[in-house]
Amino acid sequence: MAKLHSKLIWVILITLLLFVGYLYWMPGQKTETRRAGTAVAVSTATVQTMPMIRSVNALGTGISNQSITLVSPTSDFVTELNVREGKAVKNGEVIARLNDIEERARVTELQGILEDNKRQLARLKNLATTQATAQSLLDEQQTKVNTTLAQLDIAKAQLAEMTIMAPFDGYLGLRQVSEGAYLNAGTVITTLDDLNTLRVAFSVAEHYLADIAVGMPLTVTNAAYGTAAFSGKISAVDTRLDPVTRTVTVHGALPNTDLKLRPGMLLNVTLELDKRQALQISEKALVPQQQKQFVYKVDAQSKVSQVEVTIGQRIPGWVEILTGLEEGDEVVVEGIQKLRSGVSINRVGG
């Protein structure tokens, strides 16, 4: 009876061992079956050589290429006003005139005095040739001529101040006075802005200072025009950095013949630091392992193998490949978590 009981125990133990072995063996068989017979659905892409653009983004403010506020240089009445808001004016065009009757009269008076003094000087010079006049009288008359000339120059300058002209081509702003009004010195008449070229001022971290140079391309966008981009170039880089923010101020110049951009606008600036051709893949294809990067490369039999790659510059969505792949190689970009080397794939999606 004891022998029968002992045999029964051994039968139970052997049965348990066989069952445990079966549990471990079946998942492996299923995995091998899947590897051998069922292809994993993934998305793939080819390695391409494309432009690798490294850029920096910043917020900028639009400023006029040239901008002034036209003010009254003296106190008097406005006798002529040629201000129409938004009007394009040329260099030298009359914007306003002040009452200049006294100034014109003063110029005419001094011109008459000057002519008389010059005649007196010429007469004395003729007399001096016959020694009929003293040299002191000749010198005194020459002084009168010189003094009158200086007074005439001052009078002409005062007369010129009564006419306010555009110092450069541009567009007039809002009119602040009316014709016939009495203006005090310094009263604002209007503004003048050169809008055909708009400058954009923005700040860049000192980290990028060595990469920035005059003439580099940039683009700007503004909320008023959605995704429409306006292209320009760097026109100047400040010689000093802000000691608090550690940034440098950069100015860009943007052609603006259609006048879409205006001074004071908030502009989103993209500054292109570098542009070159580089071998690239989607960032989604990378499989990081410790300090290394791998991808799953697809062979001619639609099987994958894990390949180590060396990466370079990164831009949003893309990464440069320095070693490990060649142009035209096919790599897996989606479904990576289901893969191991040697697994067959089924391409789906794009």
Side-chain angles (χ1 to χ4, degrees):
M1 187 69 181
K3 290 183 179 180
L4 180 61
H5 183 69
S6 177
K7 287 181 180 180
L8 183 60
I9 292 174
W10 278 106
V11 170
I12 293 172
L13 288 176
I14 292 172
T15 303
L16 287 174
L17 289 173
L18 290 174
F19 179 72
V20 171
Y22 173 78
L23 292 178
Y24 279 98
W25 177 74
M26 282 304 295
Q29 285 295 105
K30 290 180 180 179
T31 301
E32 292 299 324
T33 301
R34 186 173 69 246
R35 289 181 183 176
T38 305
V40 179
V42 297
S43 294
T44 65
T46 56
V47 182
Q48 303 177 55
T49 298
M50 300 184 296
M52 171 68 71
I53 301 175
R54 188 165 62 94
S55 61
V56 60
N57 297 319
L59 289 177
T61 301
I63 55 178
S64 300
N65 186 41
Q66 297 186 84
S67 178
I68 62 168
T69 299
L70 296 171
V71 300
S72 174
T74 186
S75 299
D76 220 312
F77 290 95
V78 180
T79 59
E80 180 182 345
L81 188 63
N82 301 313
V83 176
R84 189 175 77 246
E85 286 87 347
K87 175 187 176 183
V89 296
K90 297 292 185 181
N91 183 10
E93 188 170 334
V94 175
I95 305 300
R97 293 185 195 274
L98 302 181
N99 181 26
D100 58 1
I101 294 177
E102 291 184 7
E103 287 74 15
R104 288 181 182 276
R106 179 60 176 164
V107 169
T108 302
E109 177 189 10
L110 288 172
Q111 285 175 337
I113 294 173
L114 179 62
E115 290 299 322
D116 183 63
N117 286 337
K118 284 183 176 180
R119 284 195 297 268
Q120 292 290 338
L121 180 62
R123 186 177 64 82
L124 290 174
K125 285 182 177 180
N126 288 333
L127 292 175
T129 58
T130 60
Q131 297 183 351
T133 184
Q135 182 66 36
S136 60
L137 293 177
L138 185 63
D139 293 341
E140 182 180 349
Q141 190 61 35
Q142 182 65 60
T143 300
K144 288 182 179 180
V145 170
N146 294 341
T147 301
T148 306
L149 277 172
Q151 292 174 342
L152 181 59
D153 288 341
I154 294 173
K156 286 182 176 179
Q158 291 173 340
L159 176 61
E161 286 183 349
M162 309 305 284
T163 302
I164 301 160
M165 297 183 293
F168 53 82
D169 295 353
Y171 295 85
L172 296 176
L174 298 178
R175 176 171 57 85
Q176 303 295 330
V177 299
S178 299
E179 188 170 340
Y182 183 85
L183 305 185
N184 293 313
T187 300
V188 175
I189 299 173
T190 186
T191 57
L192 179 65
D193 294 288
D194 175 9
L195 300 179
N196 289 321
T197 298
L198 188 86
R199 288 190 295 163
V200 54
F202 59 99
S203 297
V204 176
E206 65 176 334
H207 171 74
Y208 298 104
L209 184 59
D211 299 318
I212 299 173
V214 173
M216 291 179 63
L218 58 81
T219 58
V220 305
T221 58
N222 177 263
Y225 303 107
T227 58
F230 302 86
S231 300
K233 294 182 178 180
I234 291 179
S235 59
V237 180
D238 199 353
T239 55
R240 297 183 178 183
L241 273 72
D242 188 315
V244 177
T245 61
R246 303 300 179 188
T247 59
V248 61
T249 300
V250 180
H251 280 190
L254 305 162
N256 191 39
T257 53
D258 54 5
L259 304 184
K260 288 185 175 181
L261 301 176
R262 299 297 178 91
M265 272 187 167
L266 178 65
L267 302 173
N268 301 300
V269 183
T270 301
L271 177 60
E272 188 177 294
L273 300 177
D274 183 32
K275 182 178 181 180
R276 55 191 172 82
Q277 295 295 115
L279 205 63
Q280 299 178 52
I281 61 170
S282 170
E283 281 186 323
K284 295 186 293 184
L286 293 178
V287 181
Q289 294 182 10
Q290 296 180 349
Q291 302 300 319
K292 297 180 179 181
Q293 297 285 350
F294 295 85
V295 298
Y296 281 106
K297 179 180 175 182
V298 183
D299 62 18
Q301 287 74 41
S302 296
K303 291 186 178 182
V304 297
S305 58
Q306 196 175 61
V307 177
E308 183 180 356
V309 295
T310 305
I311 64 173
Q313 181 67 41
R314 287 178 181 261
I315 59 175
W318 297 89
V319 62
E320 180 185 9
I321 297 298
L322 301 178
T323 62
L325 294 173
E326 295 182 356
E327 185 173 10
D329 286 347
E330 185 180 12
V331 296
V332 178
V333 293
E334 291 184 5
I336 295 174
Q337 65 276 10
K338 299 177 289 185
L339 296 180
R340 289 182 178 81
S341 291
V343 171
S344 297
I345 62 158
N346 179 31
R347 298 169 184 82
V348 297

